[in-house]
Amino acid sequence: MADTFLSDLTVVEVGDRQAVGSCGSLLAELGATVVLIETGGAQSVGSNKWERRAAIAAGKHSVVIDPAVQTDVELLRQLIAKSDAVLASGDRQPAYISEAVQKNSGDAIVCDISAFGSSGPLASRGYSDFLIQALSGSMDTTGAPEGAPTPTRIPIMEMGAALFATAGVLAALRARRAQGITQRVEVALFDCAVTMLTTFLPIHFVGREPQRIGNHHPSMSPWNAFRASDGWVLMCSGSDDQWRRVCELIGCREHAAAERYATPTSRVQVNAEIDAIVEAWTRQRTVAECIERFNKTGLACGPVYTLADLYAEPALIHRSMICAATDPAAGAEIRIPGSVFRGSRCSGQTATAVPARGQDRGYVENLLRNRVTPPAAVKGVSMEGLSIESKAPRLPLAGVRVIEIGNYTTAPLAARTLAALGADVVKLEPPVGDSSRALPPHRDGQSYFFTMSNSGKRSVMLDLRSADGKVAFRSLLEKADVLVENLKHGSLARLGFGEREIAQLNPRLVYCPISGFGADSPYRDRAAMDTTIQAMSGIMDMTRAEGVPYKTGISSADLAGGQFGVVAILAALEYRDLTGRGQAIDLSMQDGAAWLTHTMWNAHAPAPVTSTLVRCVDGYVAVESPVDAVEGILGTAGRTSATPVCVEAAGMRRGEAVGACERAGMQCAPVLRVTEVVAHAQTQARQLIVSGKTAAGAEWPLLACPIRLAATPAVVKRAIGALGADGDEVFAEWLGARGQAGDHPADQSSAA
């Protein structure tokens, strides 16, 4: 009986990108045996994989390969030939490694993670995380509206690509096991970054330019990071009732009745005034005092933790997310993350040791002696997925039925990705619909954000508070393989569908609730938003401008929650197919967001600043070089900010600055605005924004799936339609029945 999600799986990690290392760590956490290839010569820099070796190597087996030694070359060849999966980075690895992978991969799944993938005008460029932030529009969405674009020091694009790559490997392995298909997986950081723009693209599609809004919300106020006497506190208040509670708490009841502040829209228009009113109160109190008072008032809030604060954070400690291991190279203890994957039958493995370089050669040689070559590919199926002698291969999740009950981002993102991989996804909505249906802008009464977030799904309206609705839900659960939801903790249990009841209905079901802090947490009943989770995971600490902590413009905590959901569900399906047993997975957004920061946990001194922003007459340029070197090349007219380091290139346009820096051998990229990203040749060549139609024929822009499978490519072509539009079809297919039930909305308070 398996005691880990994955069993008897061997993975070879050869690429030099940090995304490759993080993908390997996730697979090791899920139960794979991961062999880390370390070279005998100089190793690539820029992705920070080797600068952060201890965190990357933890839980893996290290083998040093010297290309000048024939026995090493033969060992590498055998490892690749007998592995189940190879993790590579074609734009960031030695040439001999690339050659060895190409010649020897045979029936292994090769997952290549690069900056831009294998197609498009930028395919050959090995850009860093910093430059991908610039070119993808992410950097331009972060920071104060009046300030410069703000990069985050968290390798957000590498980590996002690692999560998608892990899901891609699991999907490809599933296709190989079910159909005998061997195929290549490709994940590009740029592709992943574009799919993270979901909250900004709707503005573009209605002809406006998305703008930075700092820590504010586009339609709610007060919503910001406020200074306290000893730090920063994040508070999110959306409704008029919450505004009244804020005014009563801070002793300014007169503002609650003021016409100037009467509606969310009017308050957003005077955000500076609202912020000043709230901050006059928070500055007189400690962070802890503010949090205590805000929580008692029922307001979503959280401290803006520094990375050092995380190490004693009660929820992370309770969930064993801060662990320790000894780094033999430094002879010191380091911090490593615990497992984000907490299942009711098996959980992820936390690394207990960091291997010394090359210490596991004997172990690996013995592994190879006892290992057979992976199963061969199906005859007649080419790497491009073209059928020569047989019918076309099925998508990895063909035949898998998924129920999603979700709002906004986390559960909808997980289910959207499962749909692209072939699952039949039914989105259950209450009579009022998913809350994000109301988010502007709209077209013909339907939200752009909602539509982009829910591609590939069918909508069924169901009232889970009614007797008939509960009967229908039970019937659907009995037919489902997966249930994913992001309701407020305990919502389904209060309706009679707790973890135990669901397991009794369908013992093979994979149940994945995604909440702000997890079901097993001292904060499990707290309201949580993407912004508060970013504050409480260290992301905002690592995203500062002139000392002010900022959330990333992209909803990085929400996105990580959804991406972890995809990986957890695919891993739990592997466990189920091996054992016949489903399980529940307790996913915490805070755990996932803290994982994004973990490679920064062991820095003993601030890293030298090796990147610079250049302000030009038509925007900004990001340069992967220290400011002194950039000033020497461009002859700048002074520095406009210290963090991020920004200099003025008087009279220069972005193209001129990029040309001058490139001629000097510096890697650089323009900081693109979202509208420029959509029109960019790389976006167009990779078809990252596609067109899909609803069942009624309405055409919508949708986001392509960033997981590229050569033989079973993901499909994004169906746009979700009106609320409940697919109910009769779903009930007929799943239950052989027609009709729906229910009149009243379920408890749909979102955790994200």
Side-chain angles (χ1 to χ4, degrees):
M1 186 65 69
D3 58 1
T4 57
F5 287 99
L6 306 178
S7 299
D8 193 27
L9 187 71
T10 299
V11 176
V12 179
E13 180 186 318
V14 298
D16 281 347
R17 276 200 172 272
Q18 182 167 322
V20 171
S22 295
C23 177
S25 295
L26 289 169
L27 290 169
E29 188 177 323
L30 291 169
T33 297
V34 178
V35 180
L36 174 64
I37 300 300
E38 306 198 60
T39 62
Q43 291 171 314
S44 173
V45 297
S47 70
N48 292 320
K49 175 177 176 178
W50 300 114
E51 291 93 326
R52 298 163 182 169
R53 178 195 177 276
I56 291 294
K60 301 173 185 176
H61 302 277
S62 172
V63 173
V64 172
I65 298 295
D66 186 339
V69 178
Q70 187 57 41
T71 53
D72 283 11
V73 173
E74 176 60 20
L75 180 63
L76 177 62
R77 186 196 69 76
Q78 289 187 49
L79 263 173
I80 293 172
K82 290 191 174 184
S83 67
D84 292 288
V86 179
L87 308 180
S89 52
D91 64 347
R92 285 270 179 94
Q93 65 192 18
Y96 77 90
I97 292 284
S98 297
E99 183 180 1
V101 172
Q102 183 178 4
K103 289 183 176 180
N104 301 298
S105 55
D107 293 311
I109 303 299
V110 176
C111 179
D112 188 82
I113 311 174
S114 63
F116 296 104
S118 59
S119 62
L122 300 178
S124 62
R125 301 201 178 190
Y127 277 17
S128 67
D129 191 283
F130 172 70
L131 295 183
I132 295 294
Q133 287 186 48
L135 200 68
S136 68
S138 171
M139 192 183 296
D140 192 60
T141 67
T142 304
E146 68 280 3
T150 302
T152 179
R153 291 170 57 200
I154 301 299
I156 198 78
M157 302 308 169
E158 297 273 357
M159 304 305 267
L163 282 161
F164 277 122
T166 305
V169 170
L170 294 176
L173 288 168
R174 181 180 181 84
R176 190 182 73 180
R177 176 169 49 78
Q179 304 178 63
I181 296 170
T182 294
Q183 61 186 311
R184 187 180 182 88
V185 182
E186 181 176 281
V187 174
L189 272 68
F190 182 80
D191 296 3
C192 297
V194 173
T195 69
M196 296 177 186
L197 296 173
T198 320
T199 54
F200 293 91
L201 287 169
I203 299 297
H204 161 77
F205 289 130
V206 295
R208 304 202 306 270
E209 178 75 68
Q211 303 292 324
R212 285 190 297 281
I213 58 174
N215 292 319
H216 288 119
H217 190 280
S219 58
M220 301 178 189
S221 181
W223 189 299
N224 204 353
F226 300 96
R227 289 177 177 85
S229 63
D230 60 346
W232 294 81
V233 60
L234 200 292
M235 188 269 285
C236 304
S237 169
S239 67
D240 293 333
D241 176 64
Q242 288 175 332
W243 169 238
R244 285 190 289 272
R245 279 184 264 158
V246 170
C247 292
E248 185 166 335
L249 172 65
I250 66 178
C252 296
R253 292 184 178 86
E254 68 278 10
H255 293 315
E259 185 176 347
R260 183 175 181 79
Y261 310 137
T263 67
T265 300
S266 63
R267 291 194 294 276
V268 167
Q269 291 172 348
V270 290
N271 262 330
E273 293 180 27
I274 297 292
D275 291 347
I277 290 168
V278 175
E279 196 164 273
W281 183 85
T282 60
R283 277 183 176 272
Q284 304 303 312
R285 290 158 180 83
T286 64
V287 169
E289 290 172 315
C290 293
I291 295 297
E292 181 184 9
R293 301 289 293 278
F294 285 147
N295 275 329
K296 285 183 177 178
T297 314
L299 299 168
C301 63
V304 179
Y305 284 139
T306 65
L307 289 189
D309 293 330
L310 291 186
Y311 312 146
E313 207 290 311
L316 295 177
I317 295 297
H318 178 84
R319 291 176 65 84
S320 302
M321 275 302 296
I322 310 292
C323 302
T326 299
D327 177 8
E333 191 173 79
I334 64 164
R335 296 181 183 88
I336 57 174
S339 179
V340 177
F341 306 106
R342 295 163 59 99
S344 57
R345 296 201 180 276
C346 56
S347 291
Q349 301 178 118
T350 298
T352 57
V354 178
R357 273 175 50 86
Q359 76 166 40
D360 298 306
R361 188 182 186 99
Y363 170 89
V364 169
E365 289 172 342
N366 185 61
L367 178 72
L368 289 175
R369 281 193 292 271
N370 294 286
R371 183 162 182 80
V372 297
T373 303
V378 168
K379 183 180 179 182
V381 179
S382 74
M383 287 299 289
E384 290 75 31
L386 301 176
S387 178
I388 300 171
E389 299 176 1
S390 60
K391 63 181 181 180
R394 302 182 306 277
L395 293 181
L397 294 181
V400 173
R401 287 176 166 175
V402 177
I403 297 173
E404 177 225 301
I405 309 175
N407 285 290
Y408 299 113
T409 299
T410 52
L413 170 59
R416 179 180 105 206
T417 307
L418 297 176
L421 295 173
D424 177 7
V425 178
V426 170
K427 184 179 181 72
L428 293 188
E429 300 185 70
V432 295
D434 178 336
S435 301
S436 68
R437 282 185 179 269
L439 291 181
H442 291 78
R443 193 192 78 198
D444 300 329
Q446 185 156 312
S447 163
Y448 276 90
F449 174 86
F450 170 81
T451 306
M452 295 174 68
S453 298
N454 291 282
S455 59
K457 307 173 189 177
R458 295 187 288 178
S459 173
V460 171
M461 185 176 72
L462 205 63
D463 178 11
L464 297 184
R465 288 182 174 174
S466 72
D468 288 345
K470 291 178 180 179
V471 169
F473 184 41
R474 288 190 186 95
S475 298
L476 291 172
L477 281 175
E478 289 173 350
K479 300 292 186 180
D481 297 283
V482 176
L483 169 63
V484 57
E485 50 98 342
N486 66 338
L487 306 179
K488 186 176 180 181
H489 170 70
S491 295
L492 282 183
R494 287 191 292 273
L495 294 168
F497 297 97
E499 181 182 320
R500 180 178 300 177
E501 289 79 11
I502 288 173
Q504 289 174 343
L505 277 171
N506 186 347
R508 287 177 55 81
L509 185 78
V510 172
Y511 173 34
C512 183
I514 308 172
S515 61
F517 301 99
D520 178 22
S521 169
Y523 305 153
R524 68 180 186 178
D525 295 321
R526 281 194 189 182
M529 310 285 184
D530 169 80
T531 314
T532 53
I533 298 298
Q534 287 199 44
M536 297 179 68
S537 62
I539 293 175
M540 289 181 67
D541 180 42
M542 294 287 100
T543 314
R544 291 181 182 258
E546 305 298 350
V548 178
Y550 285 100
K551 70 178 290 291
T552 58
I554 60 171
S555 302
S556 53
D558 274 349
L559 293 165
Q563 291 169 315
F564 269 109
V566 176
V567 174
I569 288 167
L570 288 171
L573 285 173
E574 287 297 299
Y575 178 89
R576 186 198 69 173
D577 290 351
L578 178 65
T579 67
R581 305 168 77 185
Q583 65 182 302
I585 304 163
D586 177 17
L587 273 188
S588 156
M589 288 170 58
Q590 188 189 26
D591 288 357
W595 179 87
L596 295 179
T597 74
H598 80 269
T599 57
M600 312 288 288
W601 291 355
N602 298 298
H604 301 294
V609 178
T610 58
S611 57
T612 306
L613 289 180
V614 179
R615 183 179 177 183
C616 302
V617 295
D618 59 343
Y620 291 82
V621 171
V623 187
E624 195 76 275
S625 293
V627 63
D628 292 343
V630 175
E631 287 178 321
I633 294 298
L634 299 182
T636 59
R639 303 183 185 185
T640 60
S641 71
T643 55
V645 179
C646 186
V647 297
E648 182 91 24
M652 272 194 178
R653 302 186 70 80
R654 287 181 301 178
E656 296 175 280
V658 166
C661 290
E662 286 184 339
R663 286 191 294 274
M666 298 176 177
Q667 281 208 325
C668 59
V671 179
L672 296 187
R673 295 179 284 275
V674 171
T675 52
E676 294 176 310
V677 175
V678 174
H680 195 277
Q682 187 69 18
T683 304
Q684 299 294 318
R686 300 282 289 178
Q687 298 182 332
L688 300 181
I689 298 174
V690 299
S691 179
K693 290 184 178 181
T694 66
E699 194 165 342
W700 287 89
L702 303 174
L703 289 166
C705 179
I707 302 169
R708 303 220 168 188
L709 301 167
T712 59
V715 175
V716 178
K717 63 180 181 181
R718 179 183 180 127
I720 196 168
L723 172 62
D726 308 299
D728 287 345
E729 180 182 78
V730 168
F731 276 87
E733 289 181 12
W734 283 37
L735 307 178
R738 301 183 67 84
Q740 306 176 59
D743 301 308
H744 306 291
D747 182 1
Q748 293 269 334
S749 301
S750 174

